[in-house]
Amino acid sequence: MTTLTAAPSVEASGARPAPAAAVVRDTLIMSKRNLRRIRRTPQLVAAASFLPISFTLMNRYVFGGSVHIPHQTYVDYLIPAMLVLSPLFGGTTAVAMALDMTGGMVERFKSLPIARSAVLAGRTVADTARGAFVVLLVLGVGMFLGFRFHNGFLPGLAAFGLVVAFSFAVSWQMAWIGMTIKDAQAASSAAFVPILIMTFTGGGLSPVSSLPGWLQAFAHVQPVAVTITTVRALTQGGPIYHTLWQSLAWTVGILALFMSLTVRQYRKV
């Protein structure tokens, strides 16, 4: 069993909010705890990697010869979408939070003198780090399949940063789902189904222009679609500013909303 130690944090007792330094310190402690667990159980990384890599290979060889993208190879079209989707597949944060709820870990954490927000942030930071590693694996597979950065190194690095930021925001949404549903299997379905819907309706695998008009209207504004479009523009070149601000707005909005909801739900446990 992992032993947790932390300096006293008044936020945990409910007296008044903990100082920012204490919250950061407690978050680092919880992040290290979760990262150690991931390192000691590599099957967690393998499970998180299997679906996005197999999905990438399947779509490359199933749709690669039938979907025509003007002035672009299908692999250059597909991989930016998979970079955005890879850390979201499986709803790992939702499942982990549900298991912590049913296994009594959340109750143990609440008895410790650490900040409430640090317990949750430690989980989301660790899962985001695991997601970033999966993104790099998918990128490696994509490079092997022929994907290339056609817009330079710095825009490519910015694309990776946007993917990580978006996955961090969504991980808070997943954490809220896991804490609310409290069942690992149900939480996995509740987290995965919306992502799957936004994948197929957001131009992730085929152009939005092939969708019915009413779906196109949805695809042009939903968060996964605009983030995929922005990552494509950063890696392949093209207009970016219109979708970039939308993606950043969605990222900040999702983070602010679900961070608040998750902390509130944690207080009710």
Side-chain angles (χ1 to χ4, degrees), residues 62-122:
V62 171
F63 295 112
S66 58
V67 177
H68 175 67
I69 311 296
H71 313 296
Q72 192 177 40
T73 64
Y74 184 69
V75 70
D76 282 340
Y77 180 86
L78 173 67
I79 297 304
M82 295 310 305
L83 297 181
V84 175
L85 297 169
S86 294
L88 311 184
F89 280 160
T92 52
T93 304
V95 174
M97 286 303 304
L99 290 174
D100 282 350
M101 292 285 290
T102 56
M105 289 301 296
V106 171
E107 292 183 0
R108 295 184 192 179
F109 292 150
K110 292 192 72 172
S111 68
L112 295 173
I114 56 179
R116 294 185 180 97
S117 55
V119 174
L120 304 170

Side-chain angles (χ1 to χ4, degrees), residues 157-177:
L157 189 62
F160 179 76
L162 179 63
V163 168
V164 172
F166 184 69
S167 66
F168 178 66
V170 174
S171 70
W172 280 92
Q173 179 183 357
M174 301 294 180
W176 176 77
I177 290 173

Side-chain angles (χ1 to χ4, degrees), residues 152-220:
F153 174 76
L154 289 180
L157 189 62
F160 179 76
L162 179 63
V163 168
V164 172
F166 184 69
S167 66
F168 178 66
V170 174
S171 70
W172 280 92
Q173 179 183 357
M174 301 294 180
W176 176 77
I177 290 173
M179 293 194 69
T180 303
I181 296 180
K182 304 176 185 178
D183 177 83
Q185 185 174 0
S188 177
S189 298
F192 181 65
V193 170
I195 296 299
L196 194 63
I197 292 173
M198 286 191 284
T199 297
F200 284 100
T201 62
L205 308 177
S206 60
V208 172
S209 58
S210 64
L211 300 174
W214 61 275
L215 267 181
Q216 290 187 36
F218 171 70
H220 286 307

